[in-house]
Amino acid sequence: MTPKLVLVTGATGRQGSSLIHALRPAESEAHSGEHEFHILALTRNAKSPSAKSLALQPHVTVVEGNLDSVVSIYRIFEEAKSNGGIWGVCCILAFPGLGANADGEEAQGRALANISLEYDVSNFILSSVERGGERDDNKSVLDRLAKVRIERHIKELGKKGLSWTILRPGFFMENYEGTIGSITVGVLKAGLQPTTTIQLIAVDDIGRVAAGVLKRPELFQEQILCIVGDHCTMKEQEEAYERATGRSLPAIPAFLARTLISINGHTKGLIADIERVHKIKEEGAAPDHDSQVAAAKQAYPNIQNFETWAKERASTTSRDRQWNKVTIGKLFTGQQ
C-alpha cells in the first residue's frame, strides 16, 4: 500500500508535532512497513534538534522550506510527484506574537492554499481560531484578521475545487504553563468578570482532531470544526486544577496582574476578546457553534477537559516555554 503524503507546516511546533504523533503507525503497521500516511514535515532548518527528532520516526520525512519563499514550497510539491504527489496539507501557521503584525501569516496561508489547489491536493486543513463564530469578523485585527482572511480565501478556492476543512481551536490550556502561564492566569483572574467562561483546548487534541479528519475526510469536507474541550470560569478552572493536582493553579499576585493590564494594551485586548466571545455564546449569536463542536468530537471523541489535562501534567516537570512568542520583558514594556 502506497502511503498518502501529507505536508505538515509548523511541524516542529506544538500543534504540528501533535498531529504527527497522532498519525504514527500502529505497531503492526510499523513492523510491516506499511503506513496509511507519510508525513512531509516542513521546517526552515532540517538540522535543528526538533527536526532531527522528527526524522527518526518511520512515517516522517523532514523537508526544508520556508513559507515566505513560494519557490521553496513549489519545489517540495514538485519533488513529491515521484511518490504520487501530496495528498493532504495541514496548514499550521506560527503565531506572530501578541499584538504583532500578521500580514506575513496571511500571505503564507493564502500562498499555500493556492499551491495546494494547483497541485490538486485532496485535503487541505487549516488550523485557525475559535472566535465566537463569524459575527464580528469584520472587526478583527492583527492575527485574528489574518486568519479570517485566510479562511475566506480557502472558501473561495473551494468553489474552484479545493477540498477544505477548517479547525477553530479554543484557548490553549498550555498557555498556563511555566512563568508566562502564571502571568496569564493572574491577568485573566484580575481582568475577567467572575462569570465569564473561557473555551479551552489541549494542543494535543488539536492534532488528534486533525488526524481524525485526514482518516475520514469525506465526513468533514467543507466543514468548520470548533475544537473545545472545556468551557469554564477562572474559579472553576482553579477548582478543577486543585482537584487534579492537589495544588493551586499558579498565578502572579493580583496587584501585579492589575498593573500589567493597566500598562499593556494588548493584554487589555485579550481580556476584551474573551469577554466578547463569552457574550456571543451567552446570547446564542453563534448558531452553528454546537454543531461545530460536535463535528470536532466526531473526528476525535475523547477530547480532554481541563481537569484531565491538569492531572496528566501533575507528574511532569514545569518548564518555562515561549512557544507562543510571549516574553515577560515584552509584556511589561507593552511590546506584546
Side-chain angles (χ1 to χ4, degrees):
M1 179 180 70
T2 302
K4 299 171 182 175
L5 289 182
V6 178
L7 176 66
V8 178
T9 71
T12 58
R14 299 287 287 270
Q15 288 190 62
S17 57
S18 71
L19 169 59
I20 292 169
H21 181 74
L23 288 176
R24 71 193 186 285
E27 189 173 344
S28 58
E29 293 178 321
H31 287 314
S32 67
E34 293 187 355
H35 309 154
E36 182 178 2
F37 301 99
H38 190 83
I39 306 298
L40 300 179
L42 181 67
T43 178
R44 286 178 294 182
N45 181 8
K47 296 180 180 179
S48 70
S50 53
K52 287 181 178 179
S53 178
L54 286 178
L56 296 175
Q57 301 184 56
H59 67 305
V60 176
T61 297
V62 172
V63 291
E64 197 167 80
N66 190 327
L67 287 172
D68 290 326
S69 168
V70 174
V71 172
S72 71
I73 304 304
Y74 268 113
R75 175 180 50 77
I76 292 168
F77 275 80
E78 278 295 319
E79 291 177 353
K81 283 183 175 180
S82 61
N83 290 309
I86 292 175
W87 175 84
V89 170
C90 189
C91 178
I92 302 167
L93 302 172
F95 178 56
L98 194 62
N101 182 284
D103 290 349
E105 179 184 2
E106 180 185 347
Q108 291 175 352
R110 291 170 68 97
L112 185 59
N114 290 340
I115 297 171
S116 296
L117 174 63
E118 184 177 339
Y119 280 80
D120 199 25
V121 166
S122 296
N123 262 301
F124 186 93
I125 299 175
L126 171 70
S127 181
S128 185
V129 61
E130 159 54 12
R131 52 189 183 273
E134 300 175 11
R135 188 189 73 175
D136 294 339
D137 276 1
N138 290 333
K139 302 176 185 177
S140 298
V141 296
L142 301 174
D143 177 64
R144 290 290 177 91
L145 179 59
K147 285 186 166 59
V148 166
R149 287 175 171 170
I150 296 168
E151 284 190 16
R152 290 174 176 173
H153 184 65
I154 288 169
K155 290 176 182 178
E156 284 300 311
L157 293 182
K159 298 174 183 177
K160 300 178 181 179
L162 181 66
S163 179
W164 57 264
T165 304
I166 294 171
L167 310 182
R168 291 180 180 169
F171 191 78
F172 296 167
M173 297 176 189
E174 287 74 11
N175 285 332
Y176 294 159
E177 293 180 335
T179 302
I180 294 295
S182 66
I183 295 173
T184 302
V185 173
V187 163
L188 296 180
K189 284 175 62 178
L192 293 174
Q193 295 297 315
T195 56
T196 297
T197 59
I198 305 177
Q199 298 186 98
L200 299 164
I201 187 63
V203 172
D204 285 348
D205 285 338
I206 303 172
R208 291 162 181 155
V209 169
V213 171
L214 291 169
K215 290 175 181 177
R216 296 185 295 170
E218 67 283 354
L219 297 181
F220 307 103
Q221 185 175 354
E222 296 190 0
Q223 297 291 316
I224 296 170
L225 280 59
C226 180
I227 313 177
V228 175
D230 215 340
H231 60 277
C232 39
T233 65
M234 290 307 299
K235 184 176 184 346
E236 290 168 340
Q237 291 174 53
E238 288 181 294
E239 292 170 346
Y241 191 89
E242 188 165 0
R243 286 194 303 270
T245 69
R247 304 190 300 269
S248 298
L249 183 60
I252 61 172
F255 79 88
L256 193 56
R258 286 192 290 267
T259 300
L260 179 56
I261 294 170
S262 69
I263 65 175
N264 189 294
H266 303 309
T267 303
K268 291 178 185 175
L270 171 64
I271 292 168
D273 193 62
I274 293 173
E275 294 283 7
R276 179 190 63 81
V277 172
H278 170 77
K279 184 178 180 182
I280 288 174
K281 193 168 181 297
E282 288 292 293
E283 293 175 346
D288 297 329
H289 179 270
D290 290 347
S291 62
Q292 291 170 353
V293 170
K297 290 182 177 178
Q298 185 180 12
Y300 179 69
N302 300 317
I303 296 176
Q304 59 197 312
N305 62 20
F306 184 65
E307 185 170 345
T308 301
W309 175 84
K311 188 178 296 183
E312 286 186 357
R313 278 151 183 76
S315 59
T316 63
T317 302
S318 176
R319 293 179 295 162
D320 288 353
R321 297 184 177 94
Q322 295 178 2
W323 67 282
N324 55 8
K325 297 189 178 180
V326 176
T327 65
I328 296 172
K330 289 184 177 181
L331 278 172
F332 278 95
T333 57
Q335 296 179 57
Q336 287 185 328

